[in-house]
Amino acid sequence: MATTLAAQCEGACTAALDLLQPRDLTPRELEIATMAAHGLSSKAIAERLVVSVRTVDNTLHQVYAKLAVSNRAALRPLLIAPESLTHHAETPSQ
């Protein structure tokens, strides 16, 4: 919800909003990290982006260092909006 409100308030800048946007990640790092945060394996990410698994793993290690985290699970709260997590959790499995 905070992300949605921030988007509606163009130019809004607060310390809390800064936490919503990971700094210093390249667009490709953000893309790969977001896929990993959603639970995709390195192999699945590599196939989607037509790169090697090693490239994905190397990129994730760079992301971990930049965001001061150590694994994919720690990426989830940083890269996935809380409303997405709630919606995903409420979706029944088929």
Side-chain angles (χ1 to χ4, degrees):
M1 181 161 178
T3 306
T4 304
L5 292 174
Q8 293 173 358
C9 301
E10 187 175 333
C13 184
T14 68
L17 290 175
D18 283 345
L19 294 174
L20 294 175
Q21 296 298 320
R23 297 268 184 219
D24 301 323
L25 293 185
T26 67
R28 188 60 146 196
E29 287 172 338
L30 184 57
E31 180 179 31
I32 290 172
T34 301
M35 288 181 178
H38 277 95
L40 273 70
S41 68
S42 293
K43 183 179 178 183
I45 295 168
E47 289 172 357
R48 285 190 184 191
L49 300 179
V50 191
V51 297
S52 72
V53 173
R54 185 177 180 131
T55 297
V56 171
D57 289 340
N58 286 341
T59 301
L60 286 172
H61 285 289
Q62 292 168 346
V63 168
Y64 297 161
K66 287 181 177 184
L67 299 181
V69 298
S70 59
N71 57 48
R72 291 167 188 254
L75 291 175
R76 275 185 84 77
L78 297 176
L79 298 176
I80 301 175
E83 56 269 16
S84 296
L85 291 174
T86 302
H87 174 71
H88 181 70
E90 292 174 357
T91 304
S93 302
Q94 294 186 17

